[in-house]
Amino acid sequence: MSADTTKKRKTDRGDSQGDNDVKISEGGRTMAAVLAKINDLESRYTSLQNEMNGMKDKCTYLENRCDSLQRSVQILSKESKWEWSVPPIPLSYWLDQGFDEYYIDQINVFLNYIKEYTCQLRSGKADYIHLSFGDESDDTLLQHDDILLPHWRELANALQLYNNPSSLNRFSVYNIQLTSSVIDMLSPALYGNKIEKLILNNNDFVHISEGIKFAVDIMDANPNMKNFSWDYNQLESIENAHLVLDAVINHPSVHRIRLESCLGGTGYEALRYLVASGKSFELIDFDKNDIQTQGGTAIPDYIASNPPLEMLYLSGNKLNDDDVILIARSLQENSNLLELTLEYNNLTDTGAGALSKAVYDPSSLNSISDCNHTCITNINGYVPIGLIDDDDGKVISSPIERRGAKIYRLLSERNEDEDNVQHLNLEFNNEDEKKDNSLKLVPKVLECVQKYHSCTTTSQGYEHPLSIMYEIMRGWKMPELYESRAVIKTVDMATK
């Protein structure tokens, strides 16, 4: 074989491998282009899907609106001039049913409200309407009777025709039985974003599924609704609880939810499901739901994540000391929670003390400064020192003011025993610090006395600031201070 032939073969092999490199490179570019095309198609598909869902929502809204207008036309076509025409129910009717005078009085109050609200809605002149039926403070259940249906019908027709939804703020029904016949009247009349707050409490639904559907349908039909309450209506199962919770979670505006005494043994699971949804809430009320965590940490973990939640009500459950100790620790990571209620749980002084110290730890000035000054806690009916009231009985709104009030309270309590100086020496003396640095704290402490006294009121029984300042100036570093002329002027300014 000649050298030329060998060279040619090598050249051929080299050229062939170079061709493969080009093909692989071209293949890579082709694959990248295909992937880019797929991503583009997926993006367009998602966009079209979202657009289609939006169109479906609009179609649903328009269909409901058309149905609503059709119902309004049907009502108006039967009326030439409206006036209240439902005859009163005679007293003898209720007596024959075996009801006592108190119950009959409650029924009559309820019927009077139906008539009053119906007339207001029909007039169209009401500027701001709260439709509230039943006695919130009395758990006497008003049972359904078919003789009430004409009254409900007049109310439903008035709601249907009411054309000023911006002034209809609340629809609430307390301790009144709602049957299928009543629900069928009210449901369509409440469509069309007419209400911001829906309250259904202790309504003794014959079939709980009907009650749940009623609540969910009203939420879906009122996208501006902000508050939902479902107290003392037993949900019976975690599946039913999820139906209600999903409606709240998926609603664009509901950020306040009350589910008091309706979850039974599924309370903790339902609460964990709600807070794990990632939705922002302002208020969560899970009072009286037999919540017991069995060592779970969903509640303290949620608080420590510092959500926008401002009010969390967990009274009347089965939380124990271990739960509350973890909750107390989680408050150190939270700056949004304003109210936390935990009274009537399975707590001892250990748990109550841990929670109290989370908002007011009098161990030292530094420990108080490090407390949570946003939250106001309530344990077994006792409000810890974190709740500072002014002369009007209102809670001081600013966390900075609360912090100042707590610090002044500690100085005042120590002044009663005349041991401020002793505590200040223990808290601020440090052998490693230079003498001058320690002395510089004196005017700052004196300034705090004057400054934080303004965060309190004389009605709280605190010591006068002059008494506290006199005690401190009489015994804390005064000889050393007046040896150092550099800080005398600062002290003079602080005491003025």
Side-chain angles (χ1 to χ4, degrees):
M1 183 180 296
S2 66
D4 293 339
T5 303
T6 303
K7 183 176 180 181
K8 184 175 182 301
R9 289 179 179 176
K10 289 181 179 179
T11 303
D12 291 342
R13 285 197 298 270
D15 292 343
S16 177
Q17 187 163 348
D19 290 341
N20 287 337
D21 289 342
V22 172
K23 290 178 181 178
I24 291 172
S25 178
E26 290 176 350
R29 287 196 296 270
T30 303
M31 181 61 70
V34 171
L35 292 174
K37 187 68 173 178
I38 291 173
N39 291 334
D40 180 60
L41 290 173
E42 288 179 346
S43 177
R44 292 176 61 189
Y45 173 79
T46 301
S47 177
L48 290 172
Q49 188 73 29
N50 292 336
E51 185 177 348
M52 183 178 67
N53 290 336
M55 293 178 68
K56 284 182 178 179
D57 292 340
K58 289 181 180 179
C59 288
T60 301
Y61 171 78
L62 291 174
E63 288 175 358
N64 290 335
R65 182 61 178 162
C66 288
D67 291 341
S68 178
L69 291 173
Q70 186 175 2
R71 288 191 297 271
S72 298
V73 170
Q74 291 173 351
I75 294 170
L76 292 172
S77 64
K78 298 176 182 179
E79 300 175 352
S80 56
K81 182 179 180 181
W82 179 86
E83 61 181 13
W84 182 265
S85 59
V86 181
I89 302 173
L91 175 64
S92 59
Y93 179 85
W94 299 114
L95 291 174
D96 291 343
Q97 300 292 324
F99 294 112
D100 58 23
E101 292 183 3
Y102 179 80
Y103 184 91
I104 296 172
D105 287 342
Q106 294 289 89
I107 280 282
N108 287 332
V109 170
F110 161 59
L111 293 177
N112 286 336
Y113 272 118
I114 282 191
K115 181 177 180 180
E116 178 183 341
Y117 289 139
T118 299
C119 293
Q120 287 185 35
L121 292 168
R122 283 285 192 163
S123 70
K125 297 178 181 179
D127 294 327
Y128 200 67
I129 299 181
H130 291 264
L131 301 185
S132 183
F133 305 97
D135 190 343
E136 181 180 1
S137 60
D138 189 334
D139 58 1
T140 300
L141 178 70
L142 301 184
Q143 301 173 21
H144 174 74
D145 192 299
D146 284 348
I147 201 170
L148 301 174
L149 289 177
H151 299 260
W152 282 115
R153 186 175 295 108
E154 286 288 356
L155 174 67
N157 288 345
L159 282 168
Q160 178 66 57
L161 296 173
Y162 187 66
N163 59 5
N164 186 15
S166 62
S167 66
L168 183 56
N169 176 262
R170 182 176 71 180
F171 185 84
S172 56
V173 183
Y174 300 98
N175 306 309
I176 297 175
Q177 188 177 38
L178 297 178
T179 61
S180 301
S181 53
V182 176
I183 289 173
D184 289 343
M185 291 181 193
L186 293 177
S187 287
L190 292 172
Y191 281 9
N193 202 28
K194 292 181 178 179
I195 54 178
E196 293 185 2
K197 180 184 292 186
L198 175 63
I199 300 175
L200 298 172
N201 290 359
N202 191 30
N203 306 119
D204 192 31
F205 297 104
V206 177
H207 302 290
I208 192 61
S209 58
E210 290 182 346
I212 293 172
K213 186 177 186 302
F214 176 50
V216 171
D217 285 349
I218 294 177
M219 273 192 277
D220 289 343
N222 292 271
N224 287 340
M225 185 186 295
K226 297 178 175 62
N227 296 267
F228 173 68
S229 176
W230 177 278
D231 293 348
Y232 297 93
N233 286 313
Q234 295 301 317
L235 289 171
E236 298 179 353
S237 69
I238 191 62
E239 290 76 19
N240 285 341
H242 282 176
L243 292 174
V244 173
L245 294 175
D246 285 339
V248 171
I249 291 168
N250 296 323
H251 196 281
S253 302
V254 173
H255 297 289
R256 291 175 169 240
I257 176 173
R258 295 181 182 271
L259 298 178
E260 181 176 331
S261 191
C262 63
L263 294 163
T266 64
Y268 182 62
E269 185 177 352
L271 179 58
R272 185 172 56 184
Y273 183 81
L274 184 70
V275 300
S277 68
K279 180 173 181 175
S280 296
F281 290 95
E282 296 175 3
L283 181 150
I284 295 176
D285 181 355
F286 268 58
D287 283 351
K288 302 176 185 177
N289 278 310
D290 293 332
I291 294 175
Q292 48 187 331
T293 67
Q294 304 292 342
T297 62
I299 298 173
D301 288 347
Y302 179 64
I303 294 174
S305 68
N306 201 23
L309 186 72
E310 296 180 354
M311 287 156 278
L312 177 60
Y313 302 133
L314 298 173
S315 300
N317 286 293
K318 295 181 179 178
L319 300 174
N320 57 33
D321 285 344
D322 292 337
D323 297 319
V324 174
I325 288 171
L326 291 176
I327 290 173
R329 292 175 183 170
S330 70
L331 287 175
Q332 305 307 311
E333 309 298 325
N334 190 289
S335 60
N336 291 317
L337 190 63
L338 298 175
E339 295 183 33
L340 171 64
T341 62
L342 290 162
E343 66 266 34
Y344 310 117
N345 278 276
N346 298 333
L347 305 182
T348 67
D349 290 343
T350 301
L355 193 58
S356 180
K357 280 191 173 183
V359 296
Y360 182 79
D361 183 358
S363 303
S364 68
L365 293 174
N366 284 332
S367 66
I368 285 187
S369 181
D370 292 337
C371 286
N372 182 304
H373 304 297
T374 304
C375 186
I376 300 164
T377 61
N378 194 334
I379 316 161
N380 293 338
Y382 167 69
V383 181
I385 301 171
L387 181 60
I388 307 294
D389 292 340
D390 63 15
D391 289 326
D392 296 325
K394 298 178 181 178
V395 177
I396 294 176
S397 59
S398 167
I400 295 176
E401 290 179 329
R402 290 183 200 161
R403 174 180 174 272
K406 293 174 189 178
I407 291 175
Y408 189 84
R409 183 184 184 99
L410 180 59
L411 294 172
S412 179
E413 290 172 343
R414 289 177 177 179
N415 180 248
E416 291 179 6
D417 298 325
E418 295 188 354
D419 59 2
N420 262 312
V421 173
Q422 177 185 350
H423 284 286
L424 290 172
N425 282 327
L426 290 174
E427 292 170 19
F428 294 117
N429 271 355
N430 190 331
E431 295 179 358
D432 296 332
E433 290 183 351
K434 292 182 179 180
K435 183 178 179 181
D436 288 344
N437 289 338
S438 180
L439 289 177
K440 288 178 181 178
L441 291 173
V442 177
K444 294 183 181 296
V445 172
L446 295 174
E447 182 182 8
C448 286
V449 175
Q450 292 284 64
K451 178 180 179 181
Y452 295 148
H453 177 257
S454 64
C455 298
T456 66
T457 61
T458 55
S459 63
Q460 294 171 313
Y462 295 153
E463 294 295 316
H464 196 281
L466 288 178
S467 177
I468 300 173
M469 294 183 70
Y470 174 73
E471 179 200 357
I472 294 174
M473 294 183 68
R474 185 181 61 183
W476 191 44
K477 297 184 180 299
M478 286 302 110
E480 298 92 337
L481 182 65
Y482 279 94
E483 289 177 3
S484 176
R485 296 180 178 275
V487 293
I488 290 178
K489 291 183 179 180
T490 311
V491 173
D492 290 339
M493 293 178 63
T495 55
K496 288 181 179 179

